[in-house]
Amino acid sequence: MSLLITNARIIDPSQKMDKVCDIVIEDRKIREIHAHGARGRGQGTKGNKEQTPAGGDQVIDAKGMLVVPGLVDMHVHLREPGFEYKETIKTGTEAAVRGGVTSVCCMPNTNPVNDTPGITEFILRKAIQEGSCSIFPVGAITKGQKGEELAELGMMFDAGCVAFSDDGRPVMDSLVMRRALEYSRIRNMLIISHAEDLSLAAGGVMNEGLLAVTMGLRGIPAQAEEIMVARDIALAELTGGRLHIAHVSTAGSVELLRTAKKRGVAEITAETCPHYFSITEEAVSGYNANAKVNPPLRTIGDVEAIRQGLHDGTIDVIATDHAPHHKDEKSGEFDNAPPGISGLETSFGLSMRLVDDKVLTIDQLVEKMSCMPARILGLSGSKGTLKPGADSDLVIINTEKEYVVNASDFRSKGKNTPFDGWNLKARPAVTIAKGRIYTWE
Ligand SMILES: [Zn+2]
């Protein structure tokens, strides 16, 4: 099958491209990008707008639309195996393509934990059978995510894991984290840190401060995150390992990363999530469990620092930390509700607000949501780019069209979002992933 997308404004930071062109896709690969009307295969019929490609081919007219490389989401919880009532590989990737995401990294806190090559292979098999987009498993750093003994990182890497993390939990033991980073250096593997000092967080359920006191809830200080960000930067310096800090939520973390990068510490990268630059702790007022996340939503000062960190390049990546939960789990006591937001279907719209607010240019946004994560994960030959030969993963977006978020319409099983009812714009109209075309508008 071949596909021609015409009249598209293509934004592809991986080749510094922002121009109106046609794209030719063949056999699930980008074949070429050329001036509008200039026919592929060297036939040179430039300017003929009526022209359609040879028989059997398909054409999408993307006039007035934006075409960008498919989004690469480094931080997603697909919940399978073990928690299929929250989400499955099938429903999670359906949510992904609805949100313009064509590659997801799935975190290992499933049941069983993805800490052996057998589980990694199970996920990859299911991904081929049931996934709407590409899936790249993240393996556990430690066996059972218990933080005690390193898992079989090398074997899982060989089985297809693209990174390692105990996400959901920190690796509290500094020596274990040191060993993981040392090993990561030898095999050029990425270690993703869920930065949280558990003893300082001490069972807190929201940001520590006046609001927590008023609500009678136990708070988590910003320092619970920052202590671990500082520790892991120090360990990356010690080992030369490849460190990526997940879901940065505080001004102090941004500053630690900024100074570490200025110092030229090995290879450190960091991500934040749309909720950390869109809303504050006020969102949990009224004991709204759909705004309960870990790390917790912080203050307006933190939100501004995160935005500044995105703007100046301290924060490299926007990921969702898509964490779907069942309705019943989120509707009980705030204290007992599991943390997390179902984020795949609102991520791009929320992030586009950064462009409206002049925090990022559209190029920088695409860089942080597609090209950069692909590069960090070692996938930049096939993902996060529209260069000829890359996978034909792309999104066609009507950037002006507004819509109202309706959680009950989510493809994800998780309807847990504090953004229900929000007005957003720039929802993907067409997503192309794994050679399939998904059209909504
Ligand atoms: Zn986490």
Side-chain angles (χ1 to χ4, degrees):
M1 185 208 79
S2 79
L3 170 68
L4 176 70
I5 301 169
T6 62
N7 290 305
R9 180 185 166 200
I10 300 171
I11 294 188
D12 179 6
S14 79
Q15 40 188 337
K16 300 199 167 28
M17 179 182 285
D18 179 355
K19 59 181 180 181
V20 176
C21 280
D22 293 356
I23 306 178
V24 183
I25 291 168
E26 267 175 11
D27 301 328
R28 296 185 175 200
K29 301 279 181 202
I30 306 288
R31 185 170 178 274
E32 63 173 337
I33 294 178
H34 53 65
H36 173 60
R39 187 81 186 275
R41 305 184 184 110
Q43 292 173 16
T45 50
K46 192 174 180 178
N48 182 357
K49 284 185 183 164
E50 301 307 312
Q51 185 170 333
T52 53
D57 291 357
Q58 205 175 338
V59 184
I60 296 175
D61 185 354
K63 194 169 177 16
M65 308 271 232
L66 212 62
V67 172
V68 305
L71 308 181
V72 178
D73 192 336
M74 288 183 71
H75 197 140
V76 170
H77 297 273
L78 289 177
R79 305 298 191 204
E80 188 176 359
F83 302 101
E84 289 83 354
Y85 69 97
K86 294 176 194 262
E87 191 81 290
T88 62
I89 284 169
K90 183 171 187 293
T91 58
T93 55
E94 283 170 3
V97 293
R98 187 66 190 95
V101 175
T102 56
S103 298
V104 298
C105 290
C106 59
M107 287 296 170
N109 61 340
T110 46
N111 185 19
V113 168
N114 182 11
D115 62 358
T116 58
I119 303 297
T120 306
E121 283 157 10
F122 165 84
I123 292 167
L124 288 170
R125 229 176 6 252
K126 273 253 168 171
I128 291 167
Q129 292 162 353
E130 298 176 9
S132 296
C133 70
S134 301
I135 296 177
F136 297 96
V138 174
I141 295 173
T142 63
K143 288 184 181 167
Q145 293 191 289
K146 292 197 170 78
E148 293 160 5
E149 201 183 333
L150 283 189
E152 292 157 342
L153 305 187
M155 284 167 72
M156 281 194 286
F157 191 56
D158 293 337
C161 284
V162 292
F164 296 90
S165 180
D166 273 1
D167 185 61
R169 298 179 56 80
V171 177
M172 281 294 288
D173 188 317
S174 303
L175 180 60
V176 174
M177 192 62 163
R178 173 188 182 165
R179 295 285 179 246
L181 283 162
E182 281 171 346
Y183 197 58
S184 83
R185 185 181 167 196
I186 296 167
R187 298 235 19 210
N188 196 26
M189 304 185 307
L190 184 70
I191 300 291
I192 301 175
S193 165
H194 168 111
E196 178 184 11
D197 183 319
L198 283 181
S199 39
L200 190 56
V205 293
M206 67 172 290
N207 185 45
E208 183 171 299
L210 190 57
L211 185 62
V213 174
T214 313
M215 291 178 70
L217 295 174
R218 193 188 292 236
I220 303 173
Q223 285 78 0
E225 174 175 312
E226 291 153 6
I227 285 169
M228 289 298 255
V229 170
R231 182 202 73 172
D232 287 345
I233 289 170
L235 289 175
E237 261 179 306
L238 177 65
T239 60
R242 290 184 60 209
L243 174 69
H244 178 80
I245 305 286
H247 42 54
V248 170
S249 77
T250 80
S253 296
V254 175
E255 193 47 38
L256 284 163
L257 286 160
R258 186 177 287 124
T259 50
K261 285 185 165 194
K262 265 193 199 133
R263 241 182 10 255
V265 181
E267 284 185 68
I268 296 183
T269 53
E271 78 193 23
T272 191
C273 316
H275 38 277
Y276 299 120
F277 57 71
S278 302
I279 47 179
T280 66
E281 60 178 354
E282 297 288 338
V284 303
S285 300
Y287 303 92
N288 179 9
N290 283 331
K292 182 179 176 185
V293 276
N294 185 23
L297 297 171
R298 306 287 187 180
T299 67
I300 189 67
D302 295 298
V303 169
E304 280 163 7
I306 299 277
R307 286 174 162 238
Q308 182 56 35
L310 285 162
H311 176 76
D312 68 21
T314 302
I315 299 176
D316 308 271
V317 167
I318 297 171
T320 57
D321 195 1
H322 175 76
H325 292 290
H326 192 272
K327 193 164 158 279
D328 294 347
E329 296 173 301
K330 282 286 198 181
S331 54
E333 288 255 315
F334 187 91
D335 267 327
N336 300 327
I341 290 173
S342 180
L344 279 166
E345 289 164 81
T346 50
S347 174
F348 192 76
L350 289 166
S351 301
M352 271 300 283
R353 288 157 45 96
L354 297 172
V355 177
D356 288 344
D357 295 346
K358 306 224 174 337
V359 174
L360 297 176
T361 64
I362 183 73
D363 293 54
Q364 290 168 330
L365 183 73
V366 175
E367 171 80 15
K368 288 183 198 295
M369 297 188 83
S370 180
C371 316
M372 188 54 121
R375 214 171 297 141
I376 292 170
L377 295 161
L379 305 171
S380 57
S382 56
K383 307 294 185 188
T385 178
L386 298 174
K387 284 182 185 158
D391 290 350
S392 61
D393 292 359
L394 59 83
V395 199
I396 305 178
I397 302 156
N398 182 346
T399 51
E400 294 311 312
K401 189 163 179 180
E402 294 191 17
Y403 71 102
V404 178
V405 176
N406 183 352
S408 60
D409 282 348
F410 278 2
R411 269 67 175 173
S412 169
K413 284 192 185 183
K415 317 298 180 192
N416 47 309
T417 175
F419 302 108
D420 197 24
W422 277 44
N423 279 301
L424 296 178
K425 56 183 191 178
R427 191 148 64 152
V430 178
T431 301
I432 301 179
K434 280 175 85 177
R436 273 172 251 157
I437 305 169
Y438 302 88
T439 308
W440 294 284
E441 285 154 26

